[in-house]
Amino acid sequence: MSGADLNVVALCGGVGGAKLAYGLNRLLGAKLAVIVNTGDDFEHLGLTISPDIDTVVYTLGELADEERGWGRAGESWNFMEALGGLKGETWFRLGDRDLAMHVLRSRALSAGVTLTDFTGRIASHLGIEASILPMTDDPFATIVVTADQKLAFQRYFVDLQARPEVRKIEFQSPSGGTATSAALRAIGVADAVIVCPSNPYLSIDPILAVPGIRAALDAAKAPIVAISPLVGGRAIKGPTAKIMNELGVATNCASIVRHYGFLDGLVMDREDQAAADAIGIPVHVTNTIMHSKDERVELARQCLGFLDRLNG
């Protein structure tokens, strides 16, 4: 079986993960299931906002704003300007086109549609072949603990621009949320699992914290590989390295492997090649920076080839 014939599950956060998911979708189509973090989700202005799911949907649906890195291309901001003019909350920006997604999702959820079903319908409308699966259909929140307060994720990440020093990260599910049957089924039939180059602490750990996900991964016979989000000890985007420093963790690929603890292989950037012998599990060294869509596809191809070799 070649890499392109594998049924693959990808664990994914926002921008960086979505880029690799784009490449995987181009190569695998319907053989790909992307389990997406919903720990960032929150209620805002009466709407249900799902930032990571929308980033994955917009990216795979060719709607993403590639320059800004989030939201939809060709966006306009009349709603936000009008909201500000009425002294409403403007710290979390919702573009006019993006607003359509939030209104539709909020109405669907209020009518009893699950987040999984709503996301599937939208992905299908956009011609996306891969399955985009929320990690849970239940409320599930990432909480950032700083020296003097506990912050809801978006207050930490957007409003405070990830400036407060992180002491700990917690996850809360007031209704006892569990993994969706779709996510567990996808892991159960997967030939391979890829942990995307998302923030391990803010994007992947919430997925692993959902009851059922980690047990399903532990039970899976499929090899699991991660793509390091670090290049030369730096994060390409976001506060990964900052958080590792604040938690007293060395910012290198070996730390990423130790953090997950369940990997069968690691894909790391050429800039970190000198550290490959110290990783302790099989590694594949390649370019992991994805500036272009061709680079997304090429990194996906490299990951599938690596998994194919691990599968023997």
Side-chain angles (χ1 to χ4, degrees):
M1 181 180 290
S2 71
D5 295 323
L6 299 174
N7 288 306
V8 173
V9 164
L11 307 184
C12 182
V15 177
K19 288 182 177 180
L20 180 62
Y22 176 94
L24 291 168
N25 182 55
R26 287 275 296 271
L27 297 177
L28 296 168
K31 298 176 84 61
L32 173 67
V34 186
I35 299 176
V36 184
N37 169 42
T38 62
D40 300 6
D41 292 15
F42 74 129
E43 298 290 329
H44 185 57
L45 303 176
L47 302 171
T48 301
I49 315 294
S50 297
D52 284 359
I53 286 179
D54 290 349
T55 296
V56 174
V57 167
Y58 291 156
T59 301
L60 272 58
E62 304 280 4
L63 296 176
D65 187 310
E66 303 292 344
E67 186 171 339
R68 191 172 58 236
W70 56 273
R72 291 189 57 162
E75 191 59 277
S76 55
W77 305 95
N78 296 314
F79 170 72
M80 295 305 301
E81 291 173 7
L83 188 64
L86 296 172
K87 304 301 181 187
E89 289 187 71
T90 57
W91 63 273
F92 191 90
R93 291 176 62 75
L94 300 173
D96 299 333
R97 292 171 185 255
D98 191 34
L99 193 58
M101 179 75 86
H102 306 315
V103 169
L104 282 178
R105 175 169 42 232
S106 301
R107 190 172 67 172
L109 297 184
S110 295
V113 177
T114 66
L115 184 59
T116 296
D117 287 344
F118 173 78
T119 304
R121 290 179 197 175
I122 293 294
S124 179
H125 289 328
L126 296 176
I128 298 171
E129 292 186 84
S131 298
I132 300 175
L133 305 174
M135 64 187 195
T136 179
D137 285 327
D138 303 310
F140 200 95
T142 298
I143 305 296
V144 179
V145 181
T146 69
D148 55 2
Q149 59 185 329
K150 291 187 176 183
L151 296 167
F153 177 82
Q154 297 298 348
R155 283 292 178 187
Y156 164 77
F157 191 71
V158 177
D159 193 18
L160 301 177
Q161 299 180 11
R163 287 191 300 265
E165 181 177 333
V166 176
R167 296 288 180 87
K168 188 169 64 171
I169 297 167
E170 298 178 347
F171 306 106
Q172 296 179 354
S173 179
S175 61
T178 59
T180 67
S181 57
L184 297 178
R185 188 165 52 247
I187 294 172
V189 301
D191 299 308
V193 177
I194 294 175
V195 181
C196 289
S198 301
N199 187 309
Y201 301 89
L202 298 178
S203 297
I204 302 299
D205 279 1
I207 299 175
L208 300 176
V210 177
I213 295 281
R214 184 59 188 261
L217 291 171
D218 289 342
K221 299 186 184 306
I224 305 175
V225 303
I227 294 80
S228 174
L230 299 175
V231 176
R234 308 178 306 278
I236 299 303
K237 186 177 178 63
T240 299
K242 173 181 177 290
I243 290 174
M244 293 176 78
N245 283 323
E246 291 168 353
L247 295 178
V249 178
T251 54
N252 55 45
C253 292
S255 294
I256 300 296
V257 171
R258 283 194 295 272
H259 178 76
Y260 287 132
F262 54 64
L263 299 179
D264 298 298
L266 181 75
V267 177
M268 56 195 296
D269 193 81
R270 290 193 178 97
E271 191 169 329
D272 297 303
Q273 184 164 12
D277 291 342
I279 298 300
I281 59 174
V283 301
H284 180 71
V285 179
T286 186
N287 172 43
T288 64
I289 300 174
M290 298 173 282
H291 292 306
S292 69
K293 291 181 178 178
D294 286 344
E295 287 175 327
R296 300 174 190 177
V297 175
E298 179 55 28
L299 180 56
R301 196 187 315 279
Q302 295 284 332
C303 293
L304 295 179
F306 183 40
L307 281 163
D308 193 32
R309 293 195 297 278
L310 291 177
N311 270 326

